Amino acid sequence: PPHIMACSDGPRVLCVDDFLYNDEGKYEYNLERVANAKETIYTELKRLVESDECDRIVCTCGCPGVGKSIWLRLEGSALLGPRVVVFDDLLYTATHRSKLLQKLTEMDVRAPVELIVIERDFDASVASMLARPNGFQIPMEAMERFRDKFESPSTDEGFARIRVFRNTHVDATGEGGYTLLSDSDRSID
């Protein structure tokens, strides 16, 4: 599929947003397009696991502008490896994460599912969103709504591993970076 970024030395990334651009390259968000994008991604996850091209599924979690995509670009290849597929989405509430795990179970996708959570100061997230090179901007009311509804994940949700990173990266200067705050690896219990 054209919307899957394959890296020779790192993970494949399946990003919901990548499926939301129309034929003219304009970002076109609506619930139907999001649902179709997720169905396509779930089907591709199943295919990759069944064809033995994927050992683990790693999902991103965080509000818009926190730096999920930047983390993937800067840290993902080194920390995740080549036989990993990343599902890059917000997954900002327990309900959204539960629906993901339930769908993978219904589709009989048999691979450990991990979560990478990115946290960032709200003002820095807003500044990052406003500076996006693709011109896609989220209204401030929506940014505030995402922030207010965000739920930190719990190890009880069913993920094999949850890693939480704090993003202090300054987009304009490239200074700062990502600090690991916690790592809950249920596979070693």
Side-chain angles (χ1 to χ4, degrees):
H3 299 291
I4 297 172
M5 181 179 77
C7 305
S8 59
D9 62 344
R12 290 185 177 143
V13 178
L14 305 169
C15 180
V16 171
D17 279 345
D18 290 347
F19 290 83
L20 302 182
Y21 289 89
N22 65 22
D23 293 337
E24 290 82 40
K26 183 180 177 191
Y27 190 84
E28 200 172 275
Y29 178 91
N30 65 53
L31 295 179
E32 181 181 359
R33 289 177 71 89
V34 170
N36 290 339
K38 288 184 179 182
E39 284 301 317
T40 300
I41 288 171
Y42 297 143
T43 300
E44 182 65 6
L45 285 170
K46 182 172 178 63
R47 186 194 71 74
L48 290 167
V49 169
E50 288 180 346
S51 65
D52 200 33
E53 296 177 58
C54 171
D55 294 328
R56 293 181 293 141
I57 298 168
V58 176
C59 303
T60 60
C61 170
C63 295
V66 296
K68 298 177 298 295
S69 297
I70 293 173
W71 183 89
L72 286 169
R73 191 172 61 245
L74 296 178
E75 310 281 341
S77 291
L79 289 177
L80 300 178
R83 294 184 49 82
V84 170
V85 177
V86 176
F87 176 52
D88 185 9
D89 197 14
L90 299 175
L91 299 176
Y92 65 102
T93 69
T95 300
H96 287 93
R97 295 185 293 270
S98 175
K99 286 179 182 178
L100 164 74
L101 292 176
Q102 181 179 354
K103 182 66 175 182
L104 293 176
T105 299
E106 288 171 6
M107 293 181 71
D108 199 32
V109 176
R110 295 176 184 243
V113 182
E114 301 178 7
L115 197 62
I116 298 290
V117 183
I118 307 296
E119 298 179 351
R120 190 180 203 183
D121 175 77
F122 181 70
D123 291 336
S125 295
V126 170
S128 179
M129 183 270 304
L130 291 173
R132 285 182 175 169
N134 63 5
F136 174 68
Q137 310 235 327
I138 298 169
M140 185 57 69
E141 308 80 47
M143 290 287 289
E144 291 168 346
R145 201 168 37 252
F146 281 117
R147 177 199 59 201
D148 294 344
K149 290 184 177 183
F150 178 79
E151 298 170 351
S152 293
S154 159
T155 55
D156 297 335
E157 291 182 33
F159 291 94
R161 184 177 188 184
I162 299 173
R163 286 179 273 183
V164 180
F165 291 86
R166 177 79 177 153
N167 178 4
T168 60
H169 185 263
V170 179
D171 296 348
T173 65
E175 295 175 1
Y178 293 82
T179 304
L180 180 65
L181 299 177
S182 67
D183 186 346
S184 305
D185 189 346
R186 294 177 47 194
S187 66
I188 57 175
D189 289 344

